[in-house]
Amino acid sequence: LGALKPETRPYFATVDGCPGLRVKVAQSAKGTLRTFLYRYRAPDGRLEQKSIGHYDPPHFGLKDARERWRAFK
């Protein structure tokens, strides 16, 4: 995840093995911001997205994001 660098516009990267789990990579005033998101289809058919947390090793990393993703499923 540390290799994901910001571009001129924010972009999304998928997480292998976790359908719907994505990382939004964007530039912020403090540097690179990487946010874990869970994207899913709601019961009414709408596409929704929930923020799971910000990448901040060692406090919150991929393992933590996968655990929260499993809880949302």
Side-chain angles (χ1 to χ4, degrees):
L1 286 172
L4 296 174
K5 302 296 180 196
E7 296 179 358
T8 48
R9 297 181 132 183
Y11 68 93
F12 296 92
T14 59
V15 176
D16 292 337
C18 299
L21 182 58
R22 308 179 334 152
V23 181
K24 180 180 178 183
V25 182
Q27 185 66 40
S28 74
K30 295 181 180 181
T32 303
L33 182 63
R34 297 171 192 91
T35 306
F36 291 101
L37 303 165
Y38 175 46
R39 193 172 186 193
Y40 62 97
R41 186 127 344 242
D44 64 3
R46 292 181 301 133
L47 195 58
E48 295 191 359
Q49 185 167 273
K50 290 187 185 269
S51 176
I52 291 180
H54 297 289
Y55 179 67
D56 181 23
H59 306 292
F60 192 85
L62 183 56
K63 180 181 176 184
D64 303 300
R66 285 183 172 158
E67 287 174 8
R68 287 192 187 172
W69 168 78
R70 283 185 199 94
F72 277 126
K73 284 187 71 179

Coordinates of all heavy atoms in Angstrom, one line a residue:
L1 N 0.8 -1.2 0.0 CA 0.0 0.0 0.0 C 0.9 1.3 0.0 O 0.4 2.3 -0.5 CB -0.9 0.0 1.2 CG -2.1 -0.9 1.2 CD1 -2.8 -1.0 2.5 CD2 -3.0 -0.6 0.1
G2 N 2.0 1.2 0.6 CA 2.9 2.4 0.7 C 3.4 2.7 -0.7 O 3.7 3.9 -1.0
A3 N 3.3 1.8 -1.7 CA 3.8 2.1 -3.0 C 2.7 2.9 -3.8 O 3.1 3.4 -4.9 CB 4.1 0.8 -3.7
L4 N 1.5 2.9 -3.4 CA 0.4 3.7 -4.1 C 0.7 5.2 -3.9 O 0.6 5.7 -2.8 CB -0.9 3.3 -3.6 CG -1.4 1.8 -3.8 CD1 -2.7 1.6 -3.1 CD2 -1.5 1.5 -5.3
K5 N 1.0 5.8 -5.0 CA 1.4 7.3 -4.9 C 0.2 8.1 -5.5 O -0.5 7.6 -6.4 CB 2.6 7.5 -5.7 CG 3.8 6.8 -5.2 CD 4.2 7.1 -3.8 CE 5.4 6.3 -3.3 NZ 5.6 6.4 -1.9
P6 N 0.0 9.3 -5.0 CA -1.1 10.1 -5.5 C -0.8 10.6 -6.9 O 0.4 10.7 -7.3 CB -1.1 11.3 -4.6 CG 0.3 11.4 -4.0 CD 0.7 10.0 -3.9
E7 N -1.8 10.8 -7.7 CA -1.8 11.4 -9.0 C -2.5 12.7 -9.0 O -2.9 13.2 -7.9 CB -2.4 10.4 -10.0 CG -1.6 9.0 -10.1 CD -2.2 8.0 -11.0 OE1 -3.3 8.3 -11.7 OE2 -1.6 7.0 -11.2
T8 N -2.7 13.3 -10.1 CA -3.3 14.6 -10.2 C -4.8 14.5 -9.7 O -5.3 15.5 -9.1 CB -3.3 15.2 -11.6 OG1 -3.7 14.2 -12.5 CG2 -1.9 15.7 -11.9
R9 N -5.4 13.4 -9.9 CA -6.8 13.1 -9.4 C -6.8 11.9 -8.5 O -6.0 11.0 -8.7 CB -7.7 12.9 -10.6 CG -7.8 14.0 -11.6 CD -8.7 13.7 -12.7 NE -9.7 14.8 -12.8 CZ -10.6 14.8 -13.7 NH1 -10.9 13.8 -14.4 NH2 -11.4 15.8 -13.8
P10 N -7.7 11.9 -7.6 CA -7.8 10.7 -6.7 C -8.1 9.5 -7.6 O -8.8 9.6 -8.6 CB -9.0 11.0 -5.8 CG -9.1 12.5 -5.8 CD -8.6 12.9 -7.2
Y11 N -7.7 8.3 -7.2 CA -8.0 7.1 -7.9 C -8.2 5.9 -6.9 O -7.9 6.1 -5.7 CB -6.9 6.7 -8.9 CG -5.6 6.3 -8.3 CD1 -5.3 5.0 -8.1 CD2 -4.6 7.3 -8.0 CE1 -4.1 4.6 -7.5 CE2 -3.4 6.9 -7.5 CZ -3.1 5.6 -7.2 OH -1.9 5.2 -6.7
F12 N -8.8 4.8 -7.4 CA -9.1 3.7 -6.6 C -8.3 2.5 -7.0 O -8.1 2.2 -8.2 CB -10.6 3.3 -6.7 CG -11.5 4.4 -6.2 CD1 -12.0 5.4 -7.0 CD2 -11.8 4.5 -4.8 CE1 -12.8 6.4 -6.6 CE2 -12.7 5.5 -4.3 CZ -13.1 6.5 -5.2
A13 N -7.9 1.7 -6.0 CA -7.2 0.4 -6.2 C -8.0 -0.7 -5.5 O -8.4 -0.4 -4.4 CB -5.8 0.5 -5.7
T14 N -8.1 -1.8 -6.1 CA -8.9 -2.9 -5.5 C -7.9 -3.7 -4.6 O -6.7 -3.7 -4.8 CB -9.5 -3.8 -6.6 OG1 -8.5 -4.4 -7.4 CG2 -10.5 -3.1 -7.4
V15 N -8.5 -4.4 -3.7 CA -7.8 -5.3 -2.8 C -8.1 -6.7 -3.2 O -9.2 -7.2 -3.1 CB -8.1 -5.1 -1.3 CG1 -7.4 -6.0 -0.4 CG2 -7.8 -3.6 -0.9
D16 N -7.1 -7.5 -3.6 CA -7.3 -8.9 -4.1 C -7.8 -9.7 -3.0 O -7.4 -9.6 -1.8 CB -5.9 -9.5 -4.5 CG -5.4 -8.8 -5.8 OD1 -6.2 -8.3 -6.6 OD2 -4.2 -8.9 -6.0
G17 N -8.8 -10.6 -3.3 CA -9.4 -11.5 -2.4 C -10.5 -10.9 -1.5 O -11.0 -11.6 -0.7
C18 N -10.8 -9.6 -1.7 CA -11.8 -9.0 -0.9 C -12.8 -8.2 -1.8 O -12.6 -7.0 -2.0 CB -11.2 -8.1 0.2 SG -10.1 -8.9 1.3
P19 N -13.8 -8.9 -2.4 CA -14.7 -8.1 -3.3 C -15.3 -6.9 -2.6 O -15.9 -7.0 -1.5 CB -15.7 -9.2 -3.6 CG -15.1 -10.5 -3.3 CD -14.1 -10.2 -2.2
G20 N -15.2 -5.8 -3.3 CA -15.8 -4.6 -2.8 C -14.9 -3.7 -1.9 O -15.2 -2.6 -1.7
L21 N -13.8 -4.3 -1.5 CA -12.8 -3.5 -0.7 C -11.9 -2.8 -1.6 O -11.3 -3.4 -2.5 CB -12.0 -4.4 0.3 CG -11.0 -3.7 1.2 CD1 -11.7 -2.7 2.1 CD2 -10.3 -4.8 2.1
R22 N -11.8 -1.5 -1.4 CA -11.0 -0.6 -2.3 C -10.2 0.3 -1.5 O -10.5 0.6 -0.3 CB -11.8 0.2 -3.3 CG -12.8 -0.7 -4.0 CD -13.7 0.0 -5.0 NE -14.1 1.4 -4.8 CZ -14.4 2.2 -5.8 NH1 -14.4 1.8 -7.0 NH2 -14.7 3.5 -5.5
V23 N -9.1 0.9 -2.1 CA -8.3 1.9 -1.5 C -8.4 3.2 -2.3 O -8.1 3.1 -3.5 CB -6.9 1.5 -1.3 CG1 -6.1 2.6 -0.6 CG2 -6.7 0.2 -0.6
K24 N -8.8 4.3 -1.8 CA -8.8 5.6 -2.5 C -7.5 6.2 -2.2 O -7.2 6.4 -1.0 CB -10.0 6.4 -2.0 CG -10.1 7.8 -2.7 CD -11.2 8.6 -2.2 CE -11.3 9.9 -2.9 NZ -12.4 10.8 -2.4
V25 N -6.8 6.6 -3.2 CA -5.5 7.3 -3.0 C -5.7 8.7 -3.5 O -6.1 9.0 -4.6 CB -4.4 6.6 -3.9 CG1 -3.1 7.2 -3.7 CG2 -4.3 5.1 -3.5
A26 N -5.3 9.7 -2.6 CA -5.5 11.1 -3.0 C -4.4 11.9 -2.3 O -3.8 11.5 -1.3 CB -6.9 11.6 -2.5
Q27 N -4.2 13.1 -2.8 CA -3.2 14.0 -2.2 C -4.0 14.9 -1.2 O -5.1 15.4 -1.5 CB -2.6 14.9 -3.3 CG -1.5 15.8 -2.8 CD -0.3 15.1 -2.4 OE1 0.1 14.1 -3.0 NE2 0.3 15.5 -1.3
S28 N -3.4 15.1 -0.1 CA -4.0 16.0 0.9 C -2.9 17.0 1.4 O -1.8 16.9 1.0 CB -4.5 15.2 2.1 OG -3.4 14.7 2.9
A29 N -3.3 17.9 2.2 CA -2.4 18.9 2.7 C -1.3 18.3 3.5 O -0.1 18.8 3.6 CB -3.1 20.0 3.6
K30 N -1.5 17.1 4.1 CA -0.5 16.4 4.9 C 0.3 15.4 4.2 O 1.1 14.7 4.7 CB -1.2 15.8 6.1 CG -1.8 16.8 7.1 CD -2.4 16.0 8.3 CE -3.0 17.0 9.2 NZ -3.6 16.3 10.4
G31 N 0.0 15.2 2.9 CA 0.7 14.2 2.1 C -0.3 13.3 1.4 O -1.4 13.7 1.0
T32 N 0.1 12.1 1.3 CA -0.7 11.1 0.6 C -1.7 10.5 1.6 O -1.4 10.1 2.7 CB 0.1 9.9 0.0 OG1 1.1 10.5 -0.8 CG2 -0.7 8.9 -0.7
L33 N -3.0 10.5 1.2 CA -4.1 9.9 2.0 C -4.6 8.7 1.3 O -5.0 8.7 0.1 CB -5.2 11.0 2.1 CG -6.4 10.6 3.0 CD1 -5.9 10.4 4.5 CD2 -7.5 11.6 2.9
R34 N -4.6 7.6 2.0 CA -5.1 6.3 1.5 C -6.2 5.9 2.4 O -6.0 5.7 3.6 CB -4.0 5.2 1.5 CG -2.8 5.6 0.6 CD -1.7 4.6 0.8 NE -0.5 5.1 0.1 CZ 0.4 5.8 0.7 NH1 0.3 6.2 2.0 NH2 1.5 6.2 0.0
T35 N -7.4 5.8 1.9 CA -8.6 5.5 2.6 C -9.2 4.2 2.1 O -9.4 4.0 0.9 CB -9.7 6.6 2.4 OG1 -9.1 7.8 2.8 CG2 -10.9 6.4 3.3
F36 N -9.5 3.2 3.1 CA -10.1 2.0 2.7 C -11.7 2.2 2.7 O -12.2 2.8 3.6 CB -9.9 0.9 3.8 CG -8.4 0.5 3.8 CD1 -7.6 1.0 4.8 CD2 -8.0 -0.5 2.9 CE1 -6.2 0.5 4.8 CE2 -6.6 -0.9 2.9 CZ -5.8 -0.4 3.9
L37 N -12.3 1.7 1.6 CA -13.7 1.8 1.4 C -14.3 0.4 1.1 O -13.6 -0.4 0.4 CB -14.0 2.8 0.2 CG -13.4 4.1 0.3 CD1 -13.4 4.8 -1.0 CD2 -14.1 5.0 1.4
Y38 N -15.5 0.2 1.5 CA -16.3 -1.0 1.2 C -17.4 -0.5 0.3 O -18.3 0.2 0.7 CB -16.8 -1.7 2.4 CG -17.6 -2.9 2.1 CD1 -17.3 -3.8 1.1 CD2 -18.8 -3.1 2.8 CE1 -18.1 -4.9 0.8 CE2 -19.6 -4.2 2.5 CZ -19.3 -5.1 1.5 OH -20.0 -6.2 1.2
R39 N -17.4 -1.0 -1.0 CA -18.4 -0.7 -1.9 C -19.3 -1.9 -2.1 O -18.8 -3.0 -2.4 CB -17.8 -0.3 -3.2 CG -18.7 0.3 -4.2 CD -17.9 0.8 -5.4 NE -18.7 1.6 -6.3 CZ -18.4 2.0 -7.5 NH1 -17.2 1.6 -7.9 NH2 -19.2 2.6 -8.2
Y40 N -20.6 -1.7 -2.0 CA -21.6 -2.9 -2.1 C -22.9 -2.4 -2.6 O -23.2 -1.2 -2.7 CB -21.7 -3.4 -0.7 CG -22.4 -2.5 0.3 CD1 -23.7 -2.5 0.6 CD2 -21.6 -1.5 0.9 CE1 -24.3 -1.6 1.4 CE2 -22.1 -0.6 1.8 CZ -23.5 -0.6 2.1 OH -24.1 0.3 2.9
R41 N -23.7 -3.4 -3.0 CA -25.1 -3.1 -3.5 C -26.0 -3.3 -2.3 O -26.1 -4.3 -1.7 CB -25.4 -4.1 -4.6 CG -26.7 -3.8 -5.3 CD -26.8 -3.6 -6.7 NE -25.6 -3.4 -7.6 CZ -25.4 -2.3 -8.3 NH1 -26.2 -1.3 -8.2 NH2 -24.4 -2.3 -9.1
A42 N -26.8 -2.2 -2.1 CA -27.8 -2.2 -1.0 C -29.0 -3.1 -1.4 O -29.2 -3.4 -2.6 CB -28.3 -0.8 -0.7
P43 N -29.8 -3.5 -0.4 CA -31.0 -4.3 -0.8 C -31.9 -3.7 -1.8 O -32.6 -4.4 -2.5 CB -31.7 -4.5 0.6 CG -30.6 -4.3 1.6 CD -29.7 -3.3 1.0
D44 N -32.0 -2.4 -1.9 CA -32.9 -1.8 -2.8 C -32.2 -1.6 -4.2 O -32.8 -1.0 -5.1 CB -33.3 -0.4 -2.3 CG -32.2 0.6 -2.1 OD1 -31.0 0.3 -2.4 OD2 -32.5 1.7 -1.7
G45 N -31.0 -2.1 -4.4 CA -30.3 -2.1 -5.7 C -29.3 -1.0 -5.9 O -28.6 -1.0 -6.8
R46 N -29.3 0.0 -5.0 CA -28.4 1.1 -5.1 C -27.0 0.7 -4.7 O -26.8 -0.1 -3.9 CB -28.8 2.3 -4.2 CG -30.1 3.0 -4.6 CD -30.5 4.1 -3.8 NE -30.6 3.7 -2.4 CZ -30.1 4.3 -1.3 NH1 -29.4 5.4 -1.5 NH2 -30.2 3.8 -0.1
L47 N -26.0 1.3 -5.4 CA -24.6 1.1 -5.1 C -24.2 2.0 -3.9 O -24.4 3.2 -4.0 CB -23.7 1.3 -6.3 CG -22.3 0.8 -6.2 CD1 -22.3 -0.7 -6.0 CD2 -21.6 1.2 -7.5
E48 N -23.7 1.5 -2.8 CA -23.3 2.3 -1.7 C -21.9 2.0 -1.3 O -21.3 1.1 -1.7 CB -24.2 2.0 -0.5 CG -25.7 2.4 -0.8 CD -26.5 2.4 0.5 OE1 -26.0 2.0 1.6 OE2 -27.7 2.7 0.4
Q49 N -21.3 3.0 -0.5 CA -19.9 2.9 -0.1 C -19.8 3.3 1.3 O -20.3 4.3 1.7 CB -19.1 3.8 -1.1 CG -17.7 3.8 -0.9 CD -17.0 4.4 -2.1 OE1 -16.8 3.8 -3.1 NE2 -16.7 5.7 -2.0
K50 N -19.0 2.6 2.1 CA -18.7 3.0 3.5 C -17.2 3.1 3.7 O -16.4 2.3 3.2 CB -19.2 1.9 4.4 CG -20.7 1.8 4.5 CD -21.1 0.8 5.6 CE -22.6 0.6 5.7 NZ -23.3 1.5 6.6
S51 N -16.8 4.1 4.4 CA -15.4 4.3 4.8 C -15.1 3.3 5.9 O -15.8 3.2 6.9 CB -15.2 5.7 5.2 OG -13.8 5.9 5.6
I52 N -14.0 2.6 5.7 CA -13.6 1.6 6.8 C -12.5 2.2 7.6 O -12.4 1.9 8.8 CB -13.1 0.3 6.1 CG1 -14.3 -0.4 5.4 CG2 -12.4 -0.6 7.0 CD1 -13.9 -1.7 4.7
G53 N -11.6 3.1 7.1 CA -10.6 3.7 7.8 C -9.4 4.2 6.9 O -9.4 3.9 5.7
H54 N -8.5 4.9 7.5 CA -7.4 5.5 6.8 C -6.1 4.6 7.1 O -5.9 4.2 8.2 CB -7.1 6.9 7.2 CG -8.2 7.8 6.9 ND1 -8.5 8.2 5.6 CD2 -9.1 8.5 7.7 CE1 -9.6 9.0 5.7 NE2 -9.9 9.2 6.9
Y55 N -5.4 4.4 6.0 CA -4.1 3.6 6.1 C -3.2 4.4 7.0 O -2.8 5.6 6.6 CB -3.6 3.4 4.7 CG -2.3 2.6 4.7 CD1 -2.2 1.3 5.1 CD2 -1.1 3.3 4.2 CE1 -1.0 0.6 5.0 CE2 0.1 2.6 4.2 CZ 0.1 1.3 4.6 OH 1.3 0.6 4.5
D56 N -2.8 3.9 8.1 CA -1.9 4.6 9.0 C -1.1 3.6 9.8 O -1.4 3.3 11.0 CB -2.7 5.5 10.0 CG -1.9 6.2 11.0 OD1 -0.7 6.5 10.7 OD2 -2.4 6.6 12.0
P57 N -0.1 3.0 9.1 CA 0.7 1.9 9.9 C 1.5 2.6 11.0 O 1.9 3.7 10.9 CB 1.6 1.4 8.8 CG 1.6 2.4 7.7 CD 0.4 3.2 7.8
P58 N 1.7 1.9 12.1 CA 1.2 0.5 12.4 C -0.2 0.5 13.1 O -0.7 -0.5 13.5 CB 2.2 0.1 13.4 CG 2.6 1.3 14.2 CD 2.5 2.4 13.2
H59 N -0.9 1.7 13.1 CA -2.2 1.8 13.8 C -3.3 1.1 13.0 O -4.2 0.5 13.6 CB -2.5 3.2 14.1 CG -1.4 3.9 14.9 ND1 -1.1 3.6 16.2 CD2 -0.5 4.8 14.5 CE1 -0.1 4.3 16.6 NE2 0.3 5.1 15.6
F60 N -3.3 1.3 11.7 CA -4.4 0.7 10.9 C -3.8 0.4 9.5 O -3.4 1.3 8.8 CB -5.6 1.7 10.7 CG -6.8 1.1 10.1 CD1 -7.7 0.5 11.0 CD2 -7.1 1.2 8.8 CE1 -8.9 -0.1 10.4 CE2 -8.2 0.6 8.2 CZ -9.1 0.0 9.1
G61 N -3.9 -0.9 9.2 CA -3.3 -1.4 7.9 C -4.2 -2.3 7.2 O -5.4 -2.4 7.5
L62 N -3.7 -3.0 6.2 CA -4.5 -3.9 5.4 C -5.2 -5.0 6.2 O -6.4 -5.3 6.0 CB -3.6 -4.5 4.3 CG -4.3 -5.4 3.3 CD1 -5.5 -4.7 2.6 CD2 -3.3 -5.9 2.3
K63 N -4.5 -5.6 7.2 CA -5.1 -6.6 8.0 C -6.3 -6.1 8.7 O -7.4 -6.7 8.8 CB -4.1 -7.1 9.0 CG -4.6 -8.2 9.9 CD -3.5 -8.7 10.9 CE -4.1 -9.7 11.9 NZ -3.1 -10.0 12.9
D64 N -6.2 -4.9 9.3 CA -7.4 -4.2 10.0 C -8.5 -4.0 9.0 O -9.7 -4.2 9.4 CB -6.9 -2.9 10.7 CG -5.7 -3.1 11.6 OD1 -5.9 -3.9 12.6 OD2 -4.7 -2.6 11.3
A65 N -8.2 -3.5 7.8 CA -9.2 -3.2 6.9 C -10.0 -4.5 6.5 O -11.2 -4.5 6.3 CB -8.6 -2.5 5.6
R66 N -9.2 -5.6 6.3 CA -9.9 -6.8 5.9 C -10.8 -7.3 7.0 O -11.9 -7.9 6.8 CB -8.8 -7.9 5.6 CG -8.2 -7.7 4.3 CD -7.2 -8.8 3.9 NE -6.8 -8.6 2.5 CZ -5.7 -9.1 2.1 NH1 -4.9 -9.8 2.8 NH2 -5.4 -8.9 0.8
E67 N -10.4 -7.1 8.3 CA -11.2 -7.5 9.4 C -12.5 -6.7 9.4 O -13.6 -7.3 9.6 CB -10.5 -7.4 10.7 CG -9.4 -8.4 11.0 CD -8.6 -8.1 12.2 OE1 -8.9 -7.2 13.0 OE2 -7.6 -8.8 12.4
R68 N -12.4 -5.4 9.2 CA -13.7 -4.6 9.2 C -14.5 -4.9 8.0 O -15.7 -4.9 8.0 CB -13.3 -3.1 9.2 CG -12.8 -2.7 10.5 CD -12.7 -1.2 10.6 NE -12.1 -0.8 11.9 CZ -11.8 0.5 12.1 NH1 -12.0 1.4 11.3 NH2 -11.2 0.8 13.3
W69 N -13.9 -5.3 6.8 CA -14.6 -5.6 5.6 C -15.4 -6.9 5.9 O -16.6 -7.0 5.5 CB -13.6 -5.9 4.5 CG -14.1 -6.5 3.3 CD1 -14.9 -5.9 2.3 CD2 -14.0 -7.9 2.9 NE1 -15.2 -6.9 1.3 CE2 -14.7 -8.1 1.7 CE3 -13.4 -9.0 3.5 CZ2 -14.7 -9.3 1.1 CZ3 -13.4 -10.2 2.9 CH2 -14.1 -10.4 1.7
R70 N -14.8 -7.9 6.6 CA -15.5 -9.1 6.9 C -16.7 -8.8 7.8 O -17.8 -9.4 7.7 CB -14.6 -10.1 7.6 CG -13.7 -10.8 6.6 CD -12.9 -11.9 7.3 NE -11.7 -12.3 6.5 CZ -10.5 -11.7 6.7 NH1 -10.3 -10.9 7.6 NH2 -9.5 -12.1 5.9
A71 N -16.6 -7.9 8.7 CA -17.7 -7.5 9.6 C -18.8 -6.8 8.9 O -20.0 -7.0 9.2 CB -17.2 -6.6 10.7
F72 N -18.5 -6.1 7.8 CA -19.6 -5.4 7.0 C -20.3 -6.4 6.1 O -21.5 -6.2 5.8 CB -19.0 -4.3 6.2 CG -18.8 -3.0 6.9 CD1 -17.5 -2.4 6.9 CD2 -19.8 -2.4 7.5 CE1 -17.3 -1.2 7.5 CE2 -19.6 -1.2 8.2 CZ -18.4 -0.6 8.2
K73 N -19.7 -7.5 5.7 CA -20.3 -8.4 4.8 C -21.5 -9.1 5.3 O -21.8 -9.4 6.2 CB -19.3 -9.4 4.3 CG -18.3 -8.8 3.3 CD -17.5 -9.9 2.7 CE -18.4 -10.7 1.8 NZ -17.8 -11.8 1.1

